[in-house]
Amino acid sequence: MRQPPNAPILVSFPSSEQLSATLASFVIKAQKDSIEKKGRFTVALSGGSLPKQLKGLINQPAVKWEKWQVFYADERVVPLDHPDSNHKLCMAELFQHVPIPPENVHTIDESLLDDLEELADSYEQKLIQEFAQKDAARFPVFDLILLGVGPDGHTCSLFPGHPLLQESDRWIAYLEDSPKPPPERITLTFPVLNHASRVVFVATGEGKVDMLPLILDAPEEYKLPASQVRPVHPGQVYWFVDDAASAKVEFSQIRSNRPTLERVNDQQHEIRR
């Protein structure tokens, strides 16, 4: 019998600086486990405020950048040097400061910006090349997906009420009617998010204080996109937030003056993928 998804693990930090430090330690441990099991570390990440929270990985000798394979959880359909590009943001905040091989960061094909379907198919093909022959899975199994959440509860480019929330087959989908500009985007779908070994949401600041209770305390009532990210067992979803963002959340959480990696891992279910 298939086991139900694990409950989210919520960890609240007094400051975003403490959050960033513990998040870096968490990522390094996930990397170590993944490399020991299969010799590589597959990561997807979003844009927004998330890349800045990964600053704790810079100048970390324990990070084996040559083993990372990085994909974008969503991307705006703009040139890679455009101010709206998630790739440009991630380069500025993280990748240009670390020795990751450029070919290990998988970007959209700029020659296909005028054809959304071809662009999405092209990016999906990159996922297939990385995962299909190696893992032989119906959907890719990322070692770690790092996400933000919008004030409307969206994550990646999966917005409340949008038809893409029902997508059950594609790995990568496109949309041309994003309610948040720019309108044209590609995004990972729920089946991909929900087959990951680990998904970490990062949310900080008072701007998230009213949204987090709707996601964590009443997921079935509001059914916001972020609350629908529940990886299949034994995968696990984590929420790394600061106290300003979690002030109204009733959901059981780890909250202390010094949340540490050990405290997070004490709550963690063993992942056997």
Side-chain angles (χ1 to χ4, degrees):
M1 180 181 295
R2 176 180 294 181
Q3 296 192 34
N6 291 317
I9 293 174
L10 174 64
V11 194
S12 190
F13 299 83
S15 69
S16 61
E17 289 74 20
Q18 288 172 285
L19 186 159
S20 293
T22 306
L23 178 61
S25 298
F26 180 93
V27 172
I28 290 168
K29 183 181 186 304
Q31 169 207 257
K32 181 176 183 292
D33 292 347
S34 300
I35 292 173
E36 286 177 353
K37 290 175 183 175
K38 56 186 181 181
R40 75 193 201 281
F41 184 45
T42 54
V43 180
L45 70 161
S46 59
S49 60
L50 173 71
K52 187 174 291 188
Q53 295 291 344
L54 299 176
K55 61 187 177 183
L57 296 171
I58 298 171
N59 297 323
Q60 273 280 4
V63 181
K64 308 301 181 186
W65 293 108
E66 73 280 3
K67 300 291 188 181
W68 285 47
Q69 295 294 331
V70 178
F71 295 84
Y72 290 108
D74 71 319
E75 182 57 285
R76 288 82 179 273
V77 181
V78 295
L80 297 175
D81 61 355
H82 190 281
D84 287 334
S85 166
N86 282 341
H87 173 67
K88 178 179 173 66
L89 176 64
C90 291
M91 287 295 296
E93 296 288 352
L94 179 62
F95 295 135
Q96 72 180 22
H97 306 290
V98 301
I100 189 168
E103 63 272 17
N104 289 19
V105 180
H106 301 277
T107 63
I108 59 172
D109 185 343
E110 288 183 288
S111 71
L112 299 174
L113 294 179
D114 292 332
D115 190 327
L116 288 180
E117 187 168 359
E118 283 293 322
L119 182 69
D121 287 345
S122 169
Y123 205 66
E124 185 170 289
Q125 193 60 40
K126 292 187 178 187
L127 288 176
I128 290 170
Q129 290 172 0
E130 176 61 33
F131 288 96
Q133 291 125 12
K134 298 171 184 174
D135 298 333
R138 172 67 182 87
F139 292 102
V141 179
F142 276 97
D143 298 313
L144 174 64
I145 298 179
L146 294 158
L147 301 175
V149 59
D152 60 352
H154 87 267
T155 192
C156 300
S157 284
L158 298 168
F159 292 91
H162 196 279
L164 281 186
L165 303 185
Q166 310 306 319
E167 175 60 53
S168 61
D169 187 49
R170 294 287 303 270
W171 295 10
I172 298 288
Y174 70 86
L175 63 162
E176 49 196 344
D177 57 352
S178 166
K180 179 181 178 183
E184 296 183 341
R185 301 163 176 241
I186 65 168
T187 183
L188 294 179
T189 60
F190 278 131
V192 175
L193 299 178
N194 286 330
H195 278 79
S197 292
R198 308 164 189 82
V199 177
V200 177
F201 282 97
V202 179
T204 61
E206 294 179 357
K208 306 294 171 64
V209 72
D210 291 321
M211 180 52 57
L212 287 186
L214 307 185
I215 295 169
L216 292 165
D217 296 329
E220 293 304 316
E221 181 178 354
Y222 292 97
K223 296 187 183 299
L224 293 167
S227 67
Q228 296 180 52
V229 179
R230 295 286 302 275
V232 296
H233 188 87
Q236 181 67 58
V237 62
Y238 301 84
W239 285 80
F240 279 47
V241 305
D242 65 5
D243 291 350
S246 68
K248 297 181 180 180
V249 173
E250 297 177 1
F251 187 89
S252 175
Q253 62 189 286
I254 308 169
R255 188 196 294 269
S256 76
N257 290 330
R258 297 184 186 277
T260 64
L261 180 64
E262 289 72 25
R263 288 174 63 82
V264 176
N265 287 334
D266 283 346
Q267 299 290 316
Q268 177 176 185
H269 295 267
E270 183 178 359
I271 296 172
R272 301 183 179 277
R273 293 184 176 175

